[in-house]
């Protein structure tokens, strides 16, 4: 079976092409406000056209707990992730899920022609799994079908991914 590529499988319909970015010198409060304004959980950290890292909502929550008394003075550069892999539209979807799991990421930037084109989130991957499984394969069907459905390797992989993502 031919590996599914992000472009073929996701058709760019699932990713966030309007990825919101923030400067590494911005305050953590600015990052929180931006996430709240756009109802998102991830920000690309950019310096001009240069990708510097990624900030996830959970990073900010951890930072707030860890730095409690100094949290108001923290900059995005203090809490961002800098070791973030990037994917291309030709990247295999399985490889994307593996990269996200191995790097404990809930989002990953998509690059095209050396520039960030968008961001793919764990929610995007869940939408993809929903599409792959089809409209008739929801939770009620899984319960109804019982062991036969749960024995399906694709269903097992989806549950494994959800479990590893903490969902």
């Amino acid at each position: 079976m031919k590996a599914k590529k992000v472009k073929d499988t996701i058709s760019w319909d699932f990713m966030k092409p309007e990825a919101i970015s923030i400067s590494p010198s911005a305050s953590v409060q600015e990052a929180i406000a931006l996430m709240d304004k756009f109802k998102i959980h991830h920000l690309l950290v950019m310096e001009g056209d240069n990708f510097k890292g990624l900030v996830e909502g959970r990073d900010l929550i951890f930072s707030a707990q860890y730095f409690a008394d100094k949290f108001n003075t923290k900059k995005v550069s203090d809490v961002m992730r800098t070791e973030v892999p990037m994917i291309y539209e030709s990247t295999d979807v399985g490889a994307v899920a593996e990269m996200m799991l191995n790097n404990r990421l809930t989002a990953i930037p998509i690059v095209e022609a050396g520039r960030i084109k968008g961001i793919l989130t764990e929610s995007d991957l869940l939408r993809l799994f929903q599409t792959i499984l089809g409209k008739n394969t929801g939770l009620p069907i899984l319960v109804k079908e019982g062991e036969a459905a749960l024995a399906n390797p694709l269903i097992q992989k989806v549950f494994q991914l959800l479990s590893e993502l903490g969902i």
Side-chain angles (χ1 to χ4, degrees):
M1 171 184 240
K2 185 179 174 188
K4 298 239 181 227
K5 306 295 182 197
V6 171
K7 180 179 181 183
D8 299 336
T9 307
I10 298 177
S11 305
W12 299 105
D13 293 332
F14 293 101
M15 71 163 222
K16 308 290 184 289
E18 67 287 342
I20 309 300
S21 65
I22 193 163
S23 165
S25 62
S27 71
V28 167
Q29 277 71 25
E30 289 174 276
I32 292 168
L34 204 51
M35 287 180 179
D36 186 50
K37 176 182 177 182
F38 290 100
K39 306 293 185 236
I40 57 175
H41 305 283
H42 313 90
L43 292 172
L44 296 173
V45 182
M46 304 288 291
E47 209 164 50
D49 288 339
N50 298 321
F51 176 73
K52 295 296 182 182
L54 179 74
V55 173
E56 297 183 341
R58 66 184 182 177
D59 297 330
L60 298 177
I61 291 168
F62 172 76
S63 297
Q65 294 168 347
Y66 185 75
F67 296 117
D69 59 333
K70 300 177 186 174
F71 186 68
N72 290 332
T73 63
K74 292 293 174 190
K75 300 287 182 199
V76 168
S77 60
D78 296 326
V79 298
M80 70 184 191
R81 296 169 184 246
T82 56
E83 299 295 321
V84 180
M86 294 186 209
I87 60 171
Y88 301 88
E89 64 181 19
S90 61
T91 305
D92 174 80
V93 172
V96 173
E98 188 174 332
M99 276 187 243
M100 290 174 78
L101 290 170
N102 289 342
N103 291 283
R104 300 188 52 92
L105 294 169
T106 58
I108 196 163
I110 299 176
V111 177
E112 182 180 305
R115 300 194 74 143
I116 301 230
K117 176 164 177 114
I119 190 168
L120 186 70
T121 69
E122 64 188 353
S123 296
D124 301 330
L125 285 178
L126 289 173
R127 278 191 219 83
L128 167 64
F129 293 145
Q130 182 181 35
T131 300
I132 290 171
L133 294 173
K135 294 181 181 176
N136 295 325
T137 312
L139 186 57
I141 297 298
L142 291 177
V143 171
K144 184 178 178 185
E145 298 287 328
E147 289 181 14
L150 293 175
N152 181 317
L154 181 58
I155 301 294
Q156 290 177 355
K157 186 66 175 172
V158 168
F159 280 121
Q160 178 186 355
L161 287 171
L162 292 173
S163 173
E164 290 174 3
L165 291 171
I167 298 172

